[in-house]
Amino acid sequence: MCANYTPSAQAAWEAAFRWTFPVGQFKSESFPGYTAPIITNEVREDGVLATFGLLPGWAKPDLVRSTYNARSETAYEKPSFRHAWRRGQFCIIPADVIYEPNYETGSAVRWAIRAADGRALGITGIWESRAVGKDTQYSFSMLTINADDHPVMNRMHKPGEEKRMVVILEPGSYEEWLHVKPEHAPTWLTQFPAERLVAEPAPRGAASQAALI
């Protein structure tokens, strides 16, 4: 699961993705309800700014508190997610860092997880859009899978909880993911290799410690 991440800045975006960086402002860290850039599978050459937390047409804004992640195993049937899933509205969420809580010290410590090679991470998601006045509001949810046996992600979150992780795409597969049919999407939702990730403590207000993985 992921409720906090660093969206890719323009330099990282342009190095990793062919789509044009979207115009507009967003914060350096994103939480549910914040605006962040994504790449949709619409016919367009640029990214869009979207709300972190899926908002179907019928939803009130505070639904983002429960729709920022979607369990890939059940997204096709859940009221909040099924419209986007069944229509194949898949997207990529570019991230430089994702943050998760680690409880190995006995209390929650924020850890940063990033690609070992320094690339931006392309995270799978689903998206919606709806009219808000004269504007179009985009929104998105990150797709998650079980991570009980993942050497990095099974260290995150509270002991005894099911371990979950977002799905990170291989860099050469972005175009294919955006054209996948809903019935074929589950085959794409696999664990990213642990040896290609770096994780380290990143408590707020303190310098990160040396990488431990």
Side-chain angles (χ1 to χ4, degrees):
M1 297 186 58
C2 179
N4 175 210
Y5 75 102
T6 298
S8 292
Q10 185 166 357
W13 175 296
E14 291 177 348
F17 307 98
R18 72 160 184 80
W19 294 268
T20 303
F21 192 71
V23 175
Q25 300 293 317
F26 58 92
K27 295 184 182 297
S28 59
E29 282 191 32
S30 191
F31 295 87
Y34 285 31
T35 297
I38 66 170
I39 298 164
T40 70
N41 55 1
E42 298 171 293
V43 180
R44 58 187 304 153
E45 295 299 316
D46 60 339
V48 301
L49 295 182
T51 301
F52 185 19
L54 201 71
L55 291 170
W58 50 264
K60 294 182 179 180
D62 61 0
L63 188 69
V64 297
R65 298 172 186 169
S66 59
T67 59
Y68 55 89
N69 289 166
R71 295 176 66 93
S72 60
E73 301 91 338
T74 59
Y76 73 95
E77 63 182 5
K78 295 296 184 181
S80 296
F81 304 124
R82 64 191 179 197
H83 177 265
W85 180 279
R86 293 176 183 180
R87 288 174 60 88
Q89 293 178 184
F90 299 120
C91 65
I92 299 169
I93 302 109
D96 291 340
V97 186
I98 60 175
Y99 299 99
E100 300 286 7
N102 180 295
Y103 283 79
E104 292 174 344
T105 63
S107 58
V109 177
R110 190 178 78 149
W111 277 45
I113 299 124
R114 56 175 57 85
D117 62 7
R119 287 175 177 261
L121 302 172
I123 298 170
T124 64
I126 51 178
W127 64 273
E128 286 277 14
S129 65
R130 62 184 189 176
V132 177
K134 296 181 179 180
D135 298 321
T136 299
Q137 179 186 24
Y138 286 87
S139 61
F140 67 95
S141 175
M142 295 179 175
L143 293 171
T144 69
I145 55 174
N146 180 271
D148 285 341
D149 61 351
H150 192 274
V152 174
M153 301 308 296
N154 69 3
R155 300 179 63 186
M156 307 301 158
H157 297 281
K158 293 181 179 179
E161 290 185 347
E162 181 195 4
K163 307 302 182 179
R164 305 287 298 179
M165 68 183 292
V166 296
V167 179
I168 301 168
L169 294 164
E170 291 290 340
S173 67
Y174 298 145
E175 288 274 8
E176 292 179 76
W177 164 249
L178 293 179
H179 291 90
V180 72
K181 295 184 181 299
E183 61 267 29
H184 298 149
T187 65
W188 283 77
L189 306 176
T190 59
Q191 296 179 357
F192 195 73
E195 64 272 15
R196 291 168 58 190
L197 296 173
V198 173
E200 60 185 349
R204 295 189 179 281
S208 294
Q209 302 174 31
L212 300 184
I213 294 178

